[in-house]
Amino acid sequence: MATGIATATPGAHDADIDRLFASSGPLGQAVGGFRPRQAQTEMAKAIADAIAQQRTLIAEAGTGTGKTFAYLVPALLWGGKVIVSTGTKNLQDQLFLRDIPTVRRALSAPVSVALLKGRANYVCHFHLERTLQNGRMTSREDVGYLREISRFMKTTSSGDKAELSKVPETALIWNLVTSTRDTCMGAECQYYQDCFVMKARKEAQQADVVVVNHHLFFADVALKDTGVAELLPSANTIIFDEAHQLPEVATLFFGNTISTSQILELCRDVLAEGLSHARDGADWGQVVVPVEKAARDLRLTFPQEGGRLAVNQIAASSAFFPALETLRAQMHSMLAVLEKQAERAETIEQCRTRAVELGHQLDSWNSAPSVGSGSTGKSAKKAKAAEAEGEEGSVLWVEAFSSSLQLHQTPLSIAPIFNKQREGVARSWIFTSATLAVKNDFQHYASQMGLWDEPAQSWPSPFDYGEQGLLYVPQNLPQPNSPDYTDAVIDAALPVIEASGGRAFLLCTTIRAVNRAAERLRAEFEARHLDFPLMVQGEAGRTELLDRFRAAGNAVLIGSQSFWEGVDVRGEALSLVIIDKLPFSPPDDPVLAARIEALESKGMNGFMHHQLPAAIINLKQGAGRLIRDEADRGVLMICDPRLISKGYGRRIWQSLPPFKRTRELDAVKAFWRGDAIEPD
């Protein structure tokens, strides 16, 4: 078992950490290529102190610091029961399969480790059998995938779909062979004793170290449905890696979303279960058709897809409000039938429970206290009352997709909600990432998470950015809002891509820019006879694109937000990162608009206090793709002229790694030739 928690004086473990991280220490002997790094050792000491004193620490570690080992060593030795939460399932698997076993072996630490994912990652015996029986396959591909999953179930001990590489993670068949919170039979299920979800939760209960991801952690805090809720009371140490993602993930789960597609899915299940188990109980077609029609009619009140509107931006005369009322009424009518028939079958009772929950969400949506200019009537009064009680309130908004409409209720701030979660039992909370501060100022992150008075430290990267990298801002580009901006970016980027021999990421802030850039580069490469393989987000999965990029050695990859972080390409294959524009959130985003309004009502500047620091942290992530180890060299090209022309531009580039800077294309070419460059 891991050593239990006992509060100790600061520095109590310093000598141990110096020994463990020394070149002759156990890490040096067990890990190939391990070199002592002062920043890593100092960070490990700070985390050991936070664990020993059961307090919170915000820890920013520059790229190459080795933050994973810096928190794993003190956590495995002195952390007691530890929950490590990271940004993605891929990083979860990396921690569980590679990093933790390496450290555990090096330290000879007798700790047990468990991996816990959301229920959608585990094959469900009940739903697999049902799908095999009723064969609701939509394609021949699905039939083949189902056969693979059926074989997999005979040999797997975990049921984790990540182990079955033959079936893509995005394959639709997974929806038919996994459970959701709504469709899980729980203890009533005939396979309950063999359930992989229950098995994973039981292992997590008994383990010393449990690896989860942020979505799982916050889904649990909000829904109590992931098994983390059962772990939290006994946890002594909670570590958030990639902690810069927490504000966005927590906002997602502390809010509320209901979509017309959820309602249509419920209708499909009500019809199927009603006909299977209570055919004589109702005319099931007539029960669901009015609800389906009402859901589709609600979607049709917004003609275009991709639109986002706060509720106070929807005209009072809009067909949206009466359509919403009709949907509510029809949901209540369907629920009345389900109430009468629920005892006929467990699956009908499940449909009833889902209908109750969805009906409640619909009923509460427009009666929730909302904020934002033009709040009217009941909602405005509730918002004022919430404000008087020190609550932040929430934003009600609508988003239209091609075939569904989502109704969102998003909290203005997660700080008060998250603070409530941290109250009570004394334990240590570690928040770590390469990007938490703006020019060593943690105020933006701390205020988002409610960590105002908590200690924060930053450890610099060991890389020599002045020698290894060059920041290039081209001249004569138009303003980013001009219609031909992406074309101007490509015109400026082409000679740089030629000079670098490909080996480039082009990171865009919108999917539209990705598509336009791909169209232009494809044509230009052909016209100029440039043999650079072009890889575009969406043409294959992220992992496959990255594997192809590394293997090619001279490729150009174009991506949007999902390639700005969590991507590690070392060596010469990536020598140029081009960023099309500063990653400010869209100004028409309803949540952003409401947050800015709330800040300005308190006398603060919405741009300087929220938009700018958020964009800087995001930009630091994108820039961080370039230099990944001591031998890397490369150019960071930021095309946005505001970096130079605006007063806030200096604050942005001063927050980036300390590259040499230039505005001259010749200096970029000289950099790759290895010539000396005079910085601007």
Side-chain angles (χ1 to χ4, degrees):
M1 283 289 291
T3 309
I5 290 288
T7 52
T9 54
H13 297 298
D14 283 6
D16 287 327
I17 286 171
D18 281 332
R19 178 179 59 81
L20 294 167
F21 283 90
S23 53
S24 58
L27 288 169
Q29 292 169 29
V31 181
F34 179 86
R35 291 183 304 282
R37 281 166 276 191
Q38 187 182 351
Q40 184 182 51
T41 307
E42 295 302 321
M43 182 179 174
K45 289 176 182 176
I47 289 172
D49 282 349
I51 288 172
Q53 295 166 63
Q54 297 184 337
R55 60 176 174 77
T56 296
L57 176 67
I58 304 171
E60 182 183 68
T63 308
T65 305
K67 64 180 168 62
T68 307
F69 281 17
Y71 68 68
L72 282 179
V73 168
L76 266 56
L77 290 177
W78 307 297
K81 175 91 174 184
V82 179
I83 297 175
V84 181
S85 180
T86 190
T88 63
K89 285 182 286 188
N90 286 345
L91 288 171
Q92 244 188 302
D93 288 334
Q94 182 181 309
L95 270 170
F96 180 72
L97 298 171
R98 192 182 77 190
D99 297 338
I100 293 176
T102 299
V103 174
R104 181 172 60 176
R105 208 165 36 245
L107 303 179
S108 302
V111 294
S112 54
V113 187
L115 181 69
L116 187 60
K117 297 182 180 179
R119 62 166 69 249
N121 293 278
Y122 302 98
V123 182
C124 168
H125 291 85
F126 174 78
H127 284 94
L128 174 61
E129 183 185 312
R130 208 160 159 226
T131 303
L132 285 165
Q133 284 173 354
N134 65 24
R136 283 192 294 177
M137 299 299 99
T138 53
S139 69
R140 183 176 295 177
E141 201 174 45
D142 280 348
V143 174
Y145 289 156
L146 186 61
R147 197 177 298 122
E148 291 293 346
I149 294 168
S150 196
R151 282 195 199 115
F152 169 67
M153 285 292 271
K154 293 181 174 70
T155 57
T156 180
S157 59
S158 72
D160 184 347
K161 69 182 189 183
E163 293 176 8
L164 182 57
S165 57
K166 289 180 181 175
V167 181
E169 193 181 350
T170 52
L172 293 176
I173 189 69
W174 289 119
N175 296 331
L176 296 178
V177 298
T178 54
S179 71
T180 65
R181 180 167 168 249
D182 294 329
T183 62
C184 174
M185 305 281 283
E188 302 293 319
C189 181
Q190 68 200 79
Y191 298 107
Y192 186 71
Q193 297 303 319
D194 302 315
C195 175
F196 291 122
V197 173
M198 292 303 132
K199 186 181 172 190
R201 291 182 181 182
K202 192 173 179 184
E203 286 175 1
Q205 284 281 351
Q206 295 166 351
D208 302 313
V209 179
V210 185
V211 183
V212 301
N213 63 58
H214 302 335
H215 278 80
L216 187 70
F217 188 94
F218 284 102
D220 184 79
V221 169
L223 303 173
K224 302 288 184 285
D225 181 55
T226 65
V228 178
E230 300 153 6
L231 298 173
L232 273 175
S234 61
N236 308 106
T237 304
I238 296 172
I239 299 169
F240 292 108
D241 197 348
E242 303 296 330
H244 64 278
Q245 297 175 2
L246 293 185
E248 191 174 327
V249 175
T251 298
L252 182 70
F253 286 104
F254 290 150
N256 208 337
T257 298
I258 179 170
S259 76
T260 55
S261 57
Q262 279 176 288
I263 293 167
L264 292 172
E265 203 173 283
L266 172 64
C267 288
R268 280 195 296 274
D269 290 346
V270 167
L271 182 62
E273 301 307 330
L275 291 173
S276 294
H277 303 289
R279 186 177 286 271
D280 59 339
D283 183 341
W284 291 101
Q286 289 305 308
V287 170
V288 302
V289 165
V291 183
E292 290 177 330
K293 182 179 185 306
R296 291 193 175 101
D297 286 347
L298 184 66
R299 165 63 192 90
L300 292 173
T301 60
F302 287 86
Q304 80 290 359
E305 65 174 287
R308 292 175 157 209
L309 286 176
V311 70
N312 52 54
Q313 294 176 305
I314 303 171
S317 59
S318 167
F320 169 78
F321 295 106
L324 183 60
E325 288 307 319
T326 302
L327 179 56
R328 281 181 175 143
Q330 296 297 354
M331 281 286 289
H332 283 293
S333 299
M334 183 169 76
L335 180 57
V337 176
L338 289 170
E339 297 276 8
K340 289 178 185 168
Q341 303 298 323
E343 61 189 29
R344 302 277 294 270
E346 181 63 35
T347 49
I348 299 180
E349 167 58 26
Q350 267 189 348
C351 289
R352 185 199 69 81
T353 306
R354 286 163 65 190
V356 168
E357 176 65 25
L358 288 171
H360 174 70
Q361 285 180 271
L362 272 179
D363 288 342
S364 64
W365 184 73
N366 203 18
S367 58
S370 69
V371 291
S373 51
S375 292
T376 55
K378 201 162 47 170
S379 297
K381 284 175 190 164
K382 284 192 181 181
K384 285 192 174 72
E387 209 172 303
E389 290 170 22
E391 297 172 20
E392 288 278 357
S394 57
V395 190
L396 296 176
W397 55 287
V398 178
E399 185 168 17
F401 295 92
S402 57
S403 57
S404 71
L405 194 72
Q406 290 187 346
L407 310 179
H408 301 272
Q409 180 188 340
T410 303
L412 262 189
S413 169
I414 60 154
I417 314 170
F418 187 56
N419 265 335
K420 280 180 188 166
Q421 302 301 328
R422 294 176 61 241
E423 286 170 358
V425 183
R427 56 170 67 101
S428 50
W429 297 78
I430 311 297
F431 300 82
T432 184
S433 167
T435 55
L436 295 173
V438 176
K439 266 187 75 184
N440 285 327
D441 180 354
F442 290 88
Q443 185 179 349
H444 174 68
Y445 184 77
S447 63
Q448 282 185 300
M449 296 300 297
L451 306 172
W452 295 283
D453 299 318
E454 303 293 4
Q457 283 180 261
S458 188
W459 290 272
S461 167
F463 302 153
D464 185 350
Y465 285 110
E467 287 301 313
Q468 290 179 251
L470 181 68
L471 171 60
Y472 169 50
V473 182
Q475 302 182 56
N476 304 318
L477 277 170
Q479 287 304 304
N481 59 359
S482 69
D484 56 350
Y485 182 73
T486 302
D487 286 299
V489 166
I490 297 302
D491 291 340
L494 271 164
V496 187
I497 293 170
E498 282 196 68
S500 68
R503 306 184 298 155
F505 272 9
L506 170 53
L507 302 178
C508 302
T509 52
T510 65
I511 294 293
R512 182 184 295 173
V514 168
N515 295 335
R516 178 59 185 153
E519 188 184 330
R520 275 289 314 277
L521 282 183
R522 204 166 268 124
E524 294 286 352
F525 286 178
E526 193 175 328
R528 298 172 186 226
H529 307 292
L530 296 173
D531 190 22
F532 302 143
L534 189 63
M535 288 147 201
V536 184
Q537 180 178 333
E539 292 181 353
R542 186 171 93 151
T543 305
E544 186 185 333
L545 285 175
L546 287 169
D547 287 345
R548 280 163 39 192
F549 180 87
R550 289 187 188 98
N554 67 335
V556 176
L557 187 150
I558 310 174
S560 66
Q561 192 57 51
S562 62
F563 285 90
W564 284 61
E565 58 181 275
V567 174
D568 190 7
V569 179
R570 297 175 187 225
E572 292 189 353
L574 179 58
S575 300
L576 169 64
V577 171
I578 305 164
I579 292 176
D580 71 338
K581 63 173 79 169
L582 300 175
F584 289 112
S585 297
D588 59 348
D589 180 82
V591 179
L592 176 64
R595 284 178 173 160
I596 288 171
E597 187 179 329
L599 285 170
E600 291 179 348
S601 72
K602 295 173 186 171
M604 298 166 79
N605 181 307
F607 179 78
M608 295 303 290
H609 287 102
H610 186 78
Q611 284 173 283
L612 182 61
I616 289 173
I617 287 171
N618 202 354
L619 186 67
K620 283 172 72 176
Q621 277 292 328
R625 298 315 97 213
L626 184 63
I627 305 296
R628 304 301 297 174
D629 67 26
E630 284 91 342
D632 278 358
R633 291 183 83 248
V635 171
L636 173 64
M637 176 178 177
I638 301 179
C639 298
D640 198 320
R642 292 174 294 185
L643 199 62
I644 306 298
S645 64
K646 298 291 185 183
Y648 57 75
R650 172 181 288 267
R651 186 166 174 79
I652 294 174
W653 59 254
Q654 285 181 339
S655 298
L656 293 172
F659 297 117
K660 284 179 180 166
R661 300 186 302 277
T662 187
R663 304 207 66 195
E664 302 297 332
L665 179 59
D666 286 345
V668 174
K669 293 175 177 176
F671 173 84
W672 273 311
R673 289 196 304 269
D675 299 349
I677 299 167
E678 289 301 317
D680 281 7

